[in-house]
Every structure is written in structure tokens, then in C-alpha cells.
Amino acid sequence: METHATADQLVLDTIHTGLTVSSLDDAIAFWCDVIGCRLDVRKKLASGPALDSIVGVPGTELEIAVVVAPGGHKIELLQYDKPDDRTIYRPRSCDVGSAHLTFSVTDIDKLLDRVESAGWKRLGAPQTYPNGMRVAYARGPEGHTIEMMQLPR
């Protein structure tokens, strides 16, 4: 990990982006087969007070998978098996707490077709900026949002 920290800088780098999912199998299939990530690791985390304290949820049971996106960014997929009172959060892009991942893509239309075939929904038509960049959002069935940017050639 390369650092460019000054004496007062505390954050050194981005490690990964975490997404909570209901099914690791389904999430791995989407992120690897549709987006083109590769599976790096999958494991069940040890439950107990330390994990409960880290995530701020008593009684946590958790399995994770880490996929690596083209370009090297890591996405941690988290499947909570406990507690039983979990819910699915489906924010709109304007809702505070909403987040998205942005990918540089070669063909936005083909990727939109692929993500729609996987059960995701485009949030509107791709838009073209004056510089030629095309941009679109898609949202998955569990509320995760991705942005696709096709840079001008």
C-alpha cells in the first residue's frame, strides 16, 4: 500500500467498498459473471463480542466474499445470517445514506442489457454530456446502485 500521508493526515488509502447482500451466491454470480470481477476470498467470520462491537449489531453471524473489480478495486460482499430482524434498504439516489459504485465501461448499452438480464433496473436512459461521455445508473433488487461511465473515445 503506497502512502502519501502528511504528519496530520490520518487516512492513507481506500481498502474496499462493502455491500450487504441477502445471498452471497447470487451476489458473487452478479459481480463476477455480469460485471467481470474475480472472486478473491469467501469465508465465515467468527461470531462473538468482537464482531458485534465492530459492526454495531448484537448477535451477528456473518459470511463475506471479496471480489476484485477490473482495475483492482475490492468489493466486500457481506451476508448477515443473524440477527433475524434484518431488512432490505432500498433508497432512491436522492435519499440520504444512498451510495453507488461507478465503473468506467467500454459499452454502456451492452452492460445495461447485461445488468437488466440479471434483474437490475436502469434508472433512466443513458445521457451523453457535451464532452461525449455517456452516463447511466442501474439499481439492483436489493437497492445497490451502480453508475456506468463510458468515456469519450
Side-chain angles (χ1 to χ4, degrees):
M1 182 184 319
E2 185 176 70
T3 62
H4 300 281
T6 61
D8 61 344
Q9 185 174 351
L10 300 176
V11 175
L12 301 177
D13 199 357
T14 301
I15 305 296
H16 66 259
T17 300
L19 301 175
T20 301
V21 301
S22 61
S23 165
L24 269 185
D25 292 332
D26 292 346
I28 291 167
F30 175 79
W31 290 99
C32 292
D33 299 343
V34 176
I35 298 299
C37 298
R38 77 173 161 74
L39 179 62
D40 187 45
V41 67
R42 181 176 181 164
K43 65 182 175 182
K44 187 159 185 75
L45 299 183
S47 59
L51 182 59
D52 292 356
S53 179
I54 291 168
V55 301
V57 180
T60 294
E61 290 182 15
L62 178 61
E63 185 177 355
I64 67 163
V66 176
V67 297
V68 182
H73 185 73
K74 292 182 179 182
I75 301 166
E76 181 183 56
L77 306 168
L78 304 98
Q79 177 184 304
Y80 284 78
D81 297 319
K82 296 278 183 194
D84 293 327
D85 63 345
R86 301 174 312 283
T87 62
I88 296 177
Y89 175 59
R90 291 187 177 99
R92 299 169 299 161
S93 301
C94 64
D95 293 331
V96 176
S98 174
H100 68 271
L101 285 167
T102 304
F103 296 100
S104 174
V105 304
T106 59
D107 189 325
I108 201 167
D109 299 304
K110 279 186 182 177
L111 186 55
L112 277 168
D113 288 345
R114 248 193 225 173
V115 299
E116 284 182 311
S117 293
W120 287 51
K121 184 177 182 179
R122 69 176 72 202
L123 299 183
Q127 298 298 303
T128 304
Y129 287 90
N131 69 356
M133 178 174 62
R134 297 184 70 214
V135 178
Y137 270 35
R139 180 160 300 126
E142 296 182 336
H144 302 117
T145 302
I146 58 173
E147 179 179 21
M148 292 149 276
M149 288 185 169
Q150 183 176 329
L151 303 175
R153 298 182 201 267

PDB file of all heavy atoms in Angstrom, residues 109-144:
ATOM      1  N   ASP A 109     -24.389   0.479 -23.348  1.00  0.00           N
ATOM      2  CA  ASP A 109     -25.638  -0.167 -23.757  1.00  0.00           C
ATOM      3  C   ASP A 109     -25.580  -1.675 -23.529  1.00  0.00           C
ATOM      4  O   ASP A 109     -26.540  -2.271 -23.021  1.00  0.00           O
ATOM      5  CB  ASP A 109     -25.947   0.158 -25.223  1.00  0.00           C
ATOM      6  CG  ASP A 109     -26.132   1.660 -25.426  1.00  0.00           C
ATOM      7  OD1 ASP A 109     -26.984   2.250 -24.735  1.00  0.00           O
ATOM      8  OD2 ASP A 109     -25.389   2.234 -26.243  1.00  0.00           O
ATOM      9  N   LYS A 110     -24.464  -2.301 -23.882  1.00  0.00           N
ATOM     10  CA  LYS A 110     -24.315  -3.742 -23.659  1.00  0.00           C
ATOM     11  C   LYS A 110     -24.332  -4.067 -22.171  1.00  0.00           C
ATOM     12  O   LYS A 110     -24.948  -5.044 -21.747  1.00  0.00           O
ATOM     13  CB  LYS A 110     -23.018  -4.264 -24.282  1.00  0.00           C
ATOM     14  CG  LYS A 110     -23.109  -4.522 -25.749  1.00  0.00           C
ATOM     15  CD  LYS A 110     -21.829  -5.176 -26.247  1.00  0.00           C
ATOM     16  CE  LYS A 110     -21.888  -5.400 -27.744  1.00  0.00           C
ATOM     17  NZ  LYS A 110     -20.637  -5.971 -28.266  1.00  0.00           N
ATOM     18  N   LEU A 111     -23.647  -3.247 -21.362  1.00  0.00           N
ATOM     19  CA  LEU A 111     -23.630  -3.515 -19.918  1.00  0.00           C
ATOM     20  C   LEU A 111     -25.015  -3.311 -19.317  1.00  0.00           C
ATOM     21  O   LEU A 111     -25.444  -4.085 -18.461  1.00  0.00           O
ATOM     22  CB  LEU A 111     -22.573  -2.674 -19.203  1.00  0.00           C
ATOM     23  CG  LEU A 111     -22.402  -2.997 -17.721  1.00  0.00           C
ATOM     24  CD1 LEU A 111     -22.097  -4.484 -17.489  1.00  0.00           C
ATOM     25  CD2 LEU A 111     -21.311  -2.144 -17.109  1.00  0.00           C
ATOM     26  N   LEU A 112     -25.731  -2.294 -19.764  1.00  0.00           N
ATOM     27  CA  LEU A 112     -27.101  -2.103 -19.268  1.00  0.00           C
ATOM     28  C   LEU A 112     -27.974  -3.306 -19.612  1.00  0.00           C
ATOM     29  O   LEU A 112     -28.762  -3.769 -18.775  1.00  0.00           O
ATOM     30  CB  LEU A 112     -27.712  -0.821 -19.844  1.00  0.00           C
ATOM     31  CG  LEU A 112     -27.352   0.458 -19.107  1.00  0.00           C
ATOM     32  CD1 LEU A 112     -27.753   1.681 -19.925  1.00  0.00           C
ATOM     33  CD2 LEU A 112     -27.982   0.502 -17.727  1.00  0.00           C
ATOM     34  N   ASP A 113     -27.836  -3.836 -20.815  1.00  0.00           N
ATOM     35  CA  ASP A 113     -28.591  -5.040 -21.183  1.00  0.00           C
ATOM     36  C   ASP A 113     -28.228  -6.198 -20.261  1.00  0.00           C
ATOM     37  O   ASP A 113     -29.095  -6.943 -19.807  1.00  0.00           O
ATOM     38  CB  ASP A 113     -28.310  -5.429 -22.643  1.00  0.00           C
ATOM     39  CG  ASP A 113     -28.952  -4.477 -23.643  1.00  0.00           C
ATOM     40  OD1 ASP A 113     -29.845  -3.689 -23.245  1.00  0.00           O
ATOM     41  OD2 ASP A 113     -28.547  -4.515 -24.825  1.00  0.00           O
ATOM     42  N   ARG A 114     -26.934  -6.346 -19.976  1.00  0.00           N
ATOM     43  CA  ARG A 114     -26.477  -7.433 -19.096  1.00  0.00           C
ATOM     44  C   ARG A 114     -27.019  -7.303 -17.687  1.00  0.00           C
ATOM     45  O   ARG A 114     -27.482  -8.274 -17.099  1.00  0.00           O
ATOM     46  CB  ARG A 114     -24.947  -7.414 -19.021  1.00  0.00           C
ATOM     47  CG  ARG A 114     -24.305  -8.565 -19.661  1.00  0.00           C
ATOM     48  CD  ARG A 114     -22.846  -8.607 -19.261  1.00  0.00           C
ATOM     49  NE  ARG A 114     -22.064  -8.873 -20.444  1.00  0.00           N
ATOM     50  CZ  ARG A 114     -20.764  -8.841 -20.497  1.00  0.00           C
ATOM     51  NH1 ARG A 114     -20.066  -8.504 -19.430  1.00  0.00           N
ATOM     52  NH2 ARG A 114     -20.137  -9.117 -21.593  1.00  0.00           N
ATOM     53  N   VAL A 115     -26.930  -6.089 -17.123  1.00  0.00           N
ATOM     54  CA  VAL A 115     -27.401  -5.924 -15.741  1.00  0.00           C
ATOM     55  C   VAL A 115     -28.920  -6.068 -15.666  1.00  0.00           C
ATOM     56  O   VAL A 115     -29.443  -6.609 -14.695  1.00  0.00           O
ATOM     57  CB  VAL A 115     -26.905  -4.618 -15.077  1.00  0.00           C
ATOM     58  CG1 VAL A 115     -25.399  -4.576 -15.002  1.00  0.00           C
ATOM     59  CG2 VAL A 115     -27.437  -3.380 -15.740  1.00  0.00           C
ATOM     60  N   GLU A 116     -29.625  -5.629 -16.705  1.00  0.00           N
ATOM     61  CA  GLU A 116     -31.084  -5.822 -16.716  1.00  0.00           C
ATOM     62  C   GLU A 116     -31.443  -7.302 -16.814  1.00  0.00           C
ATOM     63  O   GLU A 116     -32.375  -7.760 -16.161  1.00  0.00           O
ATOM     64  CB  GLU A 116     -31.717  -5.047 -17.870  1.00  0.00           C
ATOM     65  CG  GLU A 116     -31.802  -3.559 -17.591  1.00  0.00           C
ATOM     66  CD  GLU A 116     -32.469  -2.794 -18.705  1.00  0.00           C
ATOM     67  OE1 GLU A 116     -32.096  -2.988 -19.888  1.00  0.00           O
ATOM     68  OE2 GLU A 116     -33.364  -1.993 -18.384  1.00  0.00           O
ATOM     69  N   SER A 117     -30.694  -8.052 -17.589  1.00  0.00           N
ATOM     70  CA  SER A 117     -30.921  -9.501 -17.691  1.00  0.00           C
ATOM     71  C   SER A 117     -30.684 -10.193 -16.355  1.00  0.00           C
ATOM     72  O   SER A 117     -31.239 -11.263 -16.095  1.00  0.00           O
ATOM     73  CB  SER A 117     -30.004 -10.121 -18.749  1.00  0.00           C
ATOM     74  OG  SER A 117     -30.364  -9.648 -20.026  1.00  0.00           O
ATOM     75  N   ALA A 118     -29.855  -9.585 -15.500  1.00  0.00           N
ATOM     76  CA  ALA A 118     -29.558 -10.146 -14.177  1.00  0.00           C
ATOM     77  C   ALA A 118     -30.536  -9.648 -13.111  1.00  0.00           C
ATOM     78  O   ALA A 118     -30.340  -9.900 -11.926  1.00  0.00           O
ATOM     79  CB  ALA A 118     -28.127  -9.795 -13.782  1.00  0.00           C
ATOM     80  N   GLY A 119     -31.593  -8.936 -13.523  1.00  0.00           N
ATOM     81  CA  GLY A 119     -32.608  -8.498 -12.566  1.00  0.00           C
ATOM     82  C   GLY A 119     -32.432  -7.091 -12.042  1.00  0.00           C
ATOM     83  O   GLY A 119     -33.187  -6.648 -11.187  1.00  0.00           O
ATOM     84  N   TRP A 120     -31.425  -6.377 -12.526  1.00  0.00           N
ATOM     85  CA  TRP A 120     -31.239  -4.984 -12.139  1.00  0.00           C
ATOM     86  C   TRP A 120     -32.083  -4.100 -13.051  1.00  0.00           C
ATOM     87  O   TRP A 120     -32.487  -4.518 -14.129  1.00  0.00           O
ATOM     88  CB  TRP A 120     -29.766  -4.599 -12.220  1.00  0.00           C
ATOM     89  CG  TRP A 120     -28.930  -5.185 -11.124  1.00  0.00           C
ATOM     90  CD1 TRP A 120     -28.871  -6.495 -10.751  1.00  0.00           C
ATOM     91  CD2 TRP A 120     -28.042  -4.485 -10.270  1.00  0.00           C
ATOM     92  NE1 TRP A 120     -27.989  -6.662  -9.703  1.00  0.00           N
ATOM     93  CE2 TRP A 120     -27.468  -5.434  -9.394  1.00  0.00           C
ATOM     94  CE3 TRP A 120     -27.667  -3.165 -10.166  1.00  0.00           C
ATOM     95  CZ2 TRP A 120     -26.538  -5.080  -8.420  1.00  0.00           C
ATOM     96  CZ3 TRP A 120     -26.742  -2.809  -9.200  1.00  0.00           C
ATOM     97  CH2 TRP A 120     -26.190  -3.763  -8.330  1.00  0.00           C
ATOM     98  N   LYS A 121     -32.337  -2.869 -12.623  1.00  0.00           N
ATOM     99  CA  LYS A 121     -33.208  -1.962 -13.365  1.00  0.00           C
ATOM    100  C   LYS A 121     -32.457  -0.674 -13.690  1.00  0.00           C
ATOM    101  O   LYS A 121     -31.858  -0.070 -12.796  1.00  0.00           O
ATOM    102  CB  LYS A 121     -34.428  -1.659 -12.499  1.00  0.00           C
ATOM    103  CG  LYS A 121     -35.469  -0.814 -13.145  1.00  0.00           C
ATOM    104  CD  LYS A 121     -36.652  -0.664 -12.207  1.00  0.00           C
ATOM    105  CE  LYS A 121     -37.735   0.155 -12.853  1.00  0.00           C
ATOM    106  NZ  LYS A 121     -38.882   0.302 -11.984  1.00  0.00           N
ATOM    107  N   ARG A 122     -32.489  -0.277 -14.952  1.00  0.00           N
ATOM    108  CA  ARG A 122     -31.888   1.019 -15.294  1.00  0.00           C
ATOM    109  C   ARG A 122     -32.768   2.111 -14.714  1.00  0.00           C
ATOM    110  O   ARG A 122     -33.982   1.979 -14.660  1.00  0.00           O
ATOM    111  CB  ARG A 122     -31.658   1.166 -16.784  1.00  0.00           C
ATOM    112  CG  ARG A 122     -32.879   1.279 -17.631  1.00  0.00           C
ATOM    113  CD  ARG A 122     -32.586   1.525 -19.100  1.00  0.00           C
ATOM    114  NE  ARG A 122     -32.045   0.347 -19.748  1.00  0.00           N
ATOM    115  CZ  ARG A 122     -31.320   0.369 -20.863  1.00  0.00           C
ATOM    116  NH1 ARG A 122     -31.072   1.500 -21.456  1.00  0.00           N
ATOM    117  NH2 ARG A 122     -30.856  -0.734 -21.382  1.00  0.00           N
ATOM    118  N   LEU A 123     -32.140   3.187 -14.257  1.00  0.00           N
ATOM    119  CA  LEU A 123     -32.888   4.261 -13.606  1.00  0.00           C
ATOM    120  C   LEU A 123     -33.251   5.372 -14.570  1.00  0.00           C
ATOM    121  O   LEU A 123     -33.822   6.378 -14.183  1.00  0.00           O
ATOM    122  CB  LEU A 123     -32.096   4.810 -12.417  1.00  0.00           C
ATOM    123  CG  LEU A 123     -31.817   3.786 -11.324  1.00  0.00           C
ATOM    124  CD1 LEU A 123     -31.095   4.430 -10.151  1.00  0.00           C
ATOM    125  CD2 LEU A 123     -33.098   3.117 -10.851  1.00  0.00           C
ATOM    126  N   GLY A 124     -32.937   5.205 -15.811  1.00  0.00           N
ATOM    127  CA  GLY A 124     -33.244   6.177 -16.854  1.00  0.00           C
ATOM    128  C   GLY A 124     -32.410   5.837 -18.073  1.00  0.00           C
ATOM    129  O   GLY A 124     -31.611   4.897 -18.053  1.00  0.00           O
ATOM    130  N   ALA A 125     -32.580   6.606 -19.109  1.00  0.00           N
ATOM    131  CA  ALA A 125     -31.802   6.384 -20.333  1.00  0.00           C
ATOM    132  C   ALA A 125     -30.396   6.930 -20.141  1.00  0.00           C
ATOM    133  O   ALA A 125     -30.197   7.925 -19.433  1.00  0.00           O
ATOM    134  CB  ALA A 125     -32.481   7.086 -21.501  1.00  0.00           C
ATOM    135  N   PRO A 126     -29.412   6.299 -20.786  1.00  0.00           N
ATOM    136  CA  PRO A 126     -28.056   6.864 -20.733  1.00  0.00           C
ATOM    137  C   PRO A 126     -28.056   8.292 -21.274  1.00  0.00           C
ATOM    138  O   PRO A 126     -28.750   8.589 -22.249  1.00  0.00           O
ATOM    139  CB  PRO A 126     -27.241   5.937 -21.645  1.00  0.00           C
ATOM    140  CG  PRO A 126     -28.011   4.662 -21.700  1.00  0.00           C
ATOM    141  CD  PRO A 126     -29.451   5.060 -21.569  1.00  0.00           C
ATOM    142  N   GLN A 127     -27.317   9.143 -20.614  1.00  0.00           N
ATOM    143  CA  GLN A 127     -27.217  10.541 -21.028  1.00  0.00           C
ATOM    144  C   GLN A 127     -25.819  10.813 -21.566  1.00  0.00           C
ATOM    145  O   GLN A 127     -24.835  10.286 -21.041  1.00  0.00           O
ATOM    146  CB  GLN A 127     -27.523  11.473 -19.851  1.00  0.00           C
ATOM    147  CG  GLN A 127     -28.926  11.313 -19.311  1.00  0.00           C
ATOM    148  CD  GLN A 127     -29.983  11.652 -20.344  1.00  0.00           C
ATOM    149  OE1 GLN A 127     -30.007  12.749 -20.890  1.00  0.00           O
ATOM    150  NE2 GLN A 127     -30.862  10.686 -20.628  1.00  0.00           N
ATOM    151  N   THR A 128     -25.741  11.645 -22.588  1.00  0.00           N
ATOM    152  CA  THR A 128     -24.459  12.000 -23.195  1.00  0.00           C
ATOM    153  C   THR A 128     -24.154  13.454 -22.871  1.00  0.00           C
ATOM    154  O   THR A 128     -24.959  14.345 -23.148  1.00  0.00           O
ATOM    155  CB  THR A 128     -24.498  11.794 -24.727  1.00  0.00           C
ATOM    156  OG1 THR A 128     -24.865  10.445 -24.996  1.00  0.00           O
ATOM    157  CG2 THR A 128     -23.135  12.084 -25.338  1.00  0.00           C
ATOM    158  N   TYR A 129     -22.993  13.674 -22.257  1.00  0.00           N
ATOM    159  CA  TYR A 129     -22.539  15.018 -21.931  1.00  0.00           C
ATOM    160  C   TYR A 129     -21.899  15.660 -23.153  1.00  0.00           C
ATOM    161  O   TYR A 129     -21.497  14.960 -24.095  1.00  0.00           O
ATOM    162  CB  TYR A 129     -21.533  14.955 -20.775  1.00  0.00           C
ATOM    163  CG  TYR A 129     -22.176  14.662 -19.446  1.00  0.00           C
ATOM    164  CD1 TYR A 129     -22.329  13.352 -18.997  1.00  0.00           C
ATOM    165  CD2 TYR A 129     -22.656  15.689 -18.639  1.00  0.00           C
ATOM    166  CE1 TYR A 129     -22.932  13.076 -17.780  1.00  0.00           C
ATOM    167  CE2 TYR A 129     -23.266  15.422 -17.418  1.00  0.00           C
ATOM    168  CZ  TYR A 129     -23.399  14.121 -16.999  1.00  0.00           C
ATOM    169  OH  TYR A 129     -24.003  13.862 -15.800  1.00  0.00           O
ATOM    170  N   PRO A 130     -21.761  16.994 -23.152  1.00  0.00           N
ATOM    171  CA  PRO A 130     -21.151  17.681 -24.299  1.00  0.00           C
ATOM    172  C   PRO A 130     -19.756  17.158 -24.655  1.00  0.00           C
ATOM    173  O   PRO A 130     -19.365  17.179 -25.820  1.00  0.00           O
ATOM    174  CB  PRO A 130     -21.089  19.149 -23.859  1.00  0.00           C
ATOM    175  CG  PRO A 130     -22.211  19.282 -22.879  1.00  0.00           C
ATOM    176  CD  PRO A 130     -22.263  17.950 -22.161  1.00  0.00           C
ATOM    177  N   ASN A 131     -19.014  16.639 -23.680  1.00  0.00           N
ATOM    178  CA  ASN A 131     -17.669  16.113 -23.969  1.00  0.00           C
ATOM    179  C   ASN A 131     -17.710  14.705 -24.564  1.00  0.00           C
ATOM    180  O   ASN A 131     -16.676  14.100 -24.820  1.00  0.00           O
ATOM    181  CB  ASN A 131     -16.793  16.136 -22.716  1.00  0.00           C
ATOM    182  CG  ASN A 131     -17.237  15.132 -21.655  1.00  0.00           C
ATOM    183  OD1 ASN A 131     -18.252  14.453 -21.794  1.00  0.00           O
ATOM    184  ND2 ASN A 131     -16.469  15.045 -20.582  1.00  0.00           N
ATOM    185  N   GLY A 132     -18.926  14.125 -24.728  1.00  0.00           N
ATOM    186  CA  GLY A 132     -19.068  12.799 -25.320  1.00  0.00           C
ATOM    187  C   GLY A 132     -19.178  11.667 -24.311  1.00  0.00           C
ATOM    188  O   GLY A 132     -19.446  10.529 -24.677  1.00  0.00           O
ATOM    189  N   MET A 133     -18.985  11.957 -23.025  1.00  0.00           N
ATOM    190  CA  MET A 133     -19.108  10.918 -22.003  1.00  0.00           C
ATOM    191  C   MET A 133     -20.579  10.528 -21.857  1.00  0.00           C
ATOM    192  O   MET A 133     -21.458  11.385 -21.806  1.00  0.00           O
ATOM    193  CB  MET A 133     -18.568  11.416 -20.662  1.00  0.00           C
ATOM    194  CG  MET A 133     -18.702  10.404 -19.537  1.00  0.00           C
ATOM    195  SD  MET A 133     -17.916  10.936 -17.996  1.00  0.00           S
ATOM    196  CE  MET A 133     -18.828  12.407 -17.609  1.00  0.00           C
ATOM    197  N   ARG A 134     -20.838   9.208 -21.779  1.00  0.00           N
ATOM    198  CA  ARG A 134     -22.189   8.697 -21.570  1.00  0.00           C
ATOM    199  C   ARG A 134     -22.281   8.123 -20.159  1.00  0.00           C
ATOM    200  O   ARG A 134     -21.359   7.450 -19.705  1.00  0.00           O
ATOM    201  CB  ARG A 134     -22.529   7.626 -22.602  1.00  0.00           C
ATOM    202  CG  ARG A 134     -22.537   8.179 -24.017  1.00  0.00           C
ATOM    203  CD  ARG A 134     -22.961   7.141 -25.026  1.00  0.00           C
ATOM    204  NE  ARG A 134     -24.384   6.859 -24.853  1.00  0.00           N
ATOM    205  CZ  ARG A 134     -24.945   5.659 -25.050  1.00  0.00           C
ATOM    206  NH1 ARG A 134     -24.203   4.630 -25.413  1.00  0.00           N
ATOM    207  NH2 ARG A 134     -26.232   5.487 -24.873  1.00  0.00           N
ATOM    208  N   VAL A 135     -23.407   8.390 -19.487  1.00  0.00           N
ATOM    209  CA  VAL A 135     -23.571   8.003 -18.089  1.00  0.00           C
ATOM    210  C   VAL A 135     -24.964   7.425 -17.870  1.00  0.00           C
ATOM    211  O   VAL A 135     -25.943   7.923 -18.426  1.00  0.00           O
ATOM    212  CB  VAL A 135     -23.372   9.222 -17.151  1.00  0.00           C
ATOM    213  CG1 VAL A 135     -23.579   8.843 -15.699  1.00  0.00           C
ATOM    214  CG2 VAL A 135     -22.012   9.851 -17.355  1.00  0.00           C
ATOM    215  N   ALA A 136     -25.029   6.368 -17.046  1.00  0.00           N
ATOM    216  CA  ALA A 136     -26.319   5.789 -16.656  1.00  0.00           C
ATOM    217  C   ALA A 136     -26.189   5.149 -15.277  1.00  0.00           C
ATOM    218  O   ALA A 136     -25.094   4.754 -14.862  1.00  0.00           O
ATOM    219  CB  ALA A 136     -26.767   4.738 -17.679  1.00  0.00           C
ATOM    220  N   TYR A 137     -27.305   5.061 -14.584  1.00  0.00           N
ATOM    221  CA  TYR A 137     -27.402   4.386 -13.298  1.00  0.00           C
ATOM    222  C   TYR A 137     -28.254   3.125 -13.472  1.00  0.00           C
ATOM    223  O   TYR A 137     -29.192   3.105 -14.274  1.00  0.00           O
ATOM    224  CB  TYR A 137     -28.129   5.266 -12.274  1.00  0.00           C
ATOM    225  CG  TYR A 137     -27.290   6.192 -11.434  1.00  0.00           C
ATOM    226  CD1 TYR A 137     -26.159   6.820 -11.921  1.00  0.00           C
ATOM    227  CD2 TYR A 137     -27.680   6.479 -10.134  1.00  0.00           C
ATOM    228  CE1 TYR A 137     -25.426   7.689 -11.133  1.00  0.00           C
ATOM    229  CE2 TYR A 137     -26.962   7.357  -9.333  1.00  0.00           C
ATOM    230  CZ  TYR A 137     -25.836   7.954  -9.845  1.00  0.00           C
ATOM    231  OH  TYR A 137     -25.130   8.826  -9.061  1.00  0.00           O
ATOM    232  N   ALA A 138     -27.964   2.117 -12.657  1.00  0.00           N
ATOM    233  CA  ALA A 138     -28.819   0.932 -12.552  1.00  0.00           C
ATOM    234  C   ALA A 138     -28.881   0.536 -11.082  1.00  0.00           C
ATOM    235  O   ALA A 138     -27.916   0.714 -10.334  1.00  0.00           O
ATOM    236  CB  ALA A 138     -28.271  -0.216 -13.393  1.00  0.00           C
ATOM    237  N   ARG A 139     -30.027   0.011 -10.674  1.00  0.00           N
ATOM    238  CA  ARG A 139     -30.213  -0.389  -9.279  1.00  0.00           C
ATOM    239  C   ARG A 139     -30.604  -1.860  -9.223  1.00  0.00           C
ATOM    240  O   ARG A 139     -31.446  -2.322  -9.990  1.00  0.00           O
ATOM    241  CB  ARG A 139     -31.286   0.461  -8.619  1.00  0.00           C
ATOM    242  CG  ARG A 139     -31.508   0.072  -7.160  1.00  0.00           C
ATOM    243  CD  ARG A 139     -32.190   1.137  -6.327  1.00  0.00           C
ATOM    244  NE  ARG A 139     -31.400   2.349  -6.328  1.00  0.00           N
ATOM    245  CZ  ARG A 139     -31.885   3.546  -6.672  1.00  0.00           C
ATOM    246  NH1 ARG A 139     -33.129   3.697  -7.033  1.00  0.00           N
ATOM    247  NH2 ARG A 139     -31.102   4.604  -6.645  1.00  0.00           N
ATOM    248  N   GLY A 140     -29.989  -2.571  -8.276  1.00  0.00           N
ATOM    249  CA  GLY A 140     -30.267  -3.984  -8.098  1.00  0.00           C
ATOM    250  C   GLY A 140     -31.496  -4.228  -7.263  1.00  0.00           C
ATOM    251  O   GLY A 140     -32.018  -3.312  -6.615  1.00  0.00           O
ATOM    252  N   PRO A 141     -31.952  -5.465  -7.228  1.00  0.00           N
ATOM    253  CA  PRO A 141     -33.169  -5.803  -6.496  1.00  0.00           C
ATOM    254  C   PRO A 141     -33.066  -5.570  -4.983  1.00  0.00           C
ATOM    255  O   PRO A 141     -34.084  -5.481  -4.302  1.00  0.00           O
ATOM    256  CB  PRO A 141     -33.394  -7.284  -6.809  1.00  0.00           C
ATOM    257  CG  PRO A 141     -32.128  -7.779  -7.407  1.00  0.00           C
ATOM    258  CD  PRO A 141     -31.377  -6.605  -7.931  1.00  0.00           C
ATOM    259  N   GLU A 142     -31.841  -5.452  -4.464  1.00  0.00           N
ATOM    260  CA  GLU A 142     -31.664  -5.201  -3.029  1.00  0.00           C
ATOM    261  C   GLU A 142     -31.309  -3.747  -2.725  1.00  0.00           C
ATOM    262  O   GLU A 142     -30.986  -3.410  -1.596  1.00  0.00           O
ATOM    263  CB  GLU A 142     -30.598  -6.138  -2.468  1.00  0.00           C
ATOM    264  CG  GLU A 142     -31.038  -7.579  -2.563  1.00  0.00           C
ATOM    265  CD  GLU A 142     -30.050  -8.549  -1.973  1.00  0.00           C
ATOM    266  OE1 GLU A 142     -28.843  -8.243  -1.877  1.00  0.00           O
ATOM    267  OE2 GLU A 142     -30.492  -9.641  -1.602  1.00  0.00           O
ATOM    268  N   GLY A 143     -31.362  -2.884  -3.732  1.00  0.00           N
ATOM    269  CA  GLY A 143     -31.150  -1.462  -3.510  1.00  0.00           C
ATOM    270  C   GLY A 143     -29.763  -0.946  -3.837  1.00  0.00           C
ATOM    271  O   GLY A 143     -29.525   0.255  -3.761  1.00  0.00           O
ATOM    272  N   HIS A 144     -28.811  -1.811  -4.198  1.00  0.00           N
ATOM    273  CA  HIS A 144     -27.474  -1.333  -4.558  1.00  0.00           C
ATOM    274  C   HIS A 144     -27.537  -0.609  -5.900  1.00  0.00           C
ATOM    275  O   HIS A 144     -28.291  -1.011  -6.792  1.00  0.00           O
ATOM    276  CB  HIS A 144     -26.485  -2.496  -4.650  1.00  0.00           C
ATOM    277  CG  HIS A 144     -26.390  -3.279  -3.392  1.00  0.00           C
ATOM    278  ND1 HIS A 144     -26.751  -4.602  -3.317  1.00  0.00           N
ATOM    279  CD2 HIS A 144     -26.011  -2.929  -2.138  1.00  0.00           C
ATOM    280  CE1 HIS A 144     -26.586  -5.031  -2.081  1.00  0.00           C
ATOM    281  NE2 HIS A 144     -26.146  -4.036  -1.349  1.00  0.00           N
TER     282      HIS A 144
END
